[in-house]
Amino acid sequence: MSVEALFNPGSIALVGATDKSGWSISTLLNLRMYGFAGPVHLVNPRGGTVHGAPAHRSLAEVPAPVDLAYVMVPTAAVLGVLREGAKLGIRCYVILTAGFGEAGVEGARLESEISAFAAENDLTILGPNGNGYINAAAGITPYGLPIPQPLLRGSVGVVLQSGARRQAGAAGGQADRGAEDRPQQARLPHGAGPHRRAGRR
């Protein structure tokens, strides 16, 4: 699967979306604020209303194709999401959830299972334990922390492991209003700082 497809989805599903999660709230707000043009589907096993919109109980209930699944479920449920998504033809994933290789032997085992499943099914995965990415050039921002305004577009891509460094870099880059060329910022994680993730609850 092409990395280009990961960074340029036409539709996104937020799996594990909930009004109780700041990660979920920030991710949806970022997509809306910075102009993502495609549909954003909310998935919560209880269904109902999430972030003021109807939520589907599973990826299988989403009535349209999904290009990218942004996964915010508990650690033990992540592989199940990937299995369901792969059956539906979803090939690209961002995994916010923590509790994998950084959490000890059991977490490392779960991460190995995810890696093996991804390889067997031609999945492209960003994560686990990562905030997501910012494709400023295309206005695609599935990212779990607030993004400083304005989001400036340009021809430079930035790849960072540290969430703190990305936040600082974004703030600094936006403040530098005198530069002729503005940076495109993309974060590729593993290990994104001390923030709590779905898997640590």
Side-chain angles (χ1 to χ4, degrees), residues 100-137:
F100 291 95
E102 81 285 0
V105 173
E106 177 62 15
R109 183 188 65 79
L110 292 172
E111 186 168 335
S112 294
E113 289 184 358
I114 286 175
S115 296
F117 184 82
E120 291 168 3
N121 292 273
D122 193 27
L123 307 183
T124 300
I125 297 178
L126 180 58
N129 192 16
N131 294 328
Y133 66 83
I134 299 169
N135 182 347

Side-chain angles (χ1 to χ4, degrees), residues 12-17 24 27-28 31 40-44 51 68-72 142:
I12 297 174
L14 304 185
V15 185
S24 182
T27 304
L28 181 60
L31 290 167
V40 179
H41 307 283
L42 305 179
V43 178
N44 182 294
H51 306 324
L68 172 70
Y70 188 97
V71 182
M72 302 176 281

Side-chain angles (χ1 to χ4, degrees), residues 55-153:
H56 307 284
R57 295 181 184 275
S58 66
L59 283 169
E61 288 191 5
V62 175
V66 172
D67 295 328
L68 172 70
Y70 188 97
V71 182
M72 302 176 281
V73 301
T75 307
V78 170
L79 185 56
V81 172
L82 299 184
R83 286 172 174 158
E84 180 185 30
K87 290 180 181 178
L88 297 169
I90 303 170
R91 293 289 175 260
C92 295
Y93 299 81
V94 171
I95 301 178
L96 174 76
T97 307
F100 291 95
E102 81 285 0
V105 173
E106 177 62 15
R109 183 188 65 79
L110 292 172
E111 186 168 335
S112 294
E113 289 184 358
I114 286 175
S115 296
F117 184 82
E120 291 168 3
N121 292 273
D122 193 27
L123 307 183
T124 300
I125 297 178
L126 180 58
N129 192 16
N131 294 328
Y133 66 83
I134 299 169
N135 182 347
I140 302 173
T141 52
Y143 190 76
L145 292 172
I147 300 172
Q149 293 182 304
L151 182 60
L152 303 172
R153 293 160 171 79

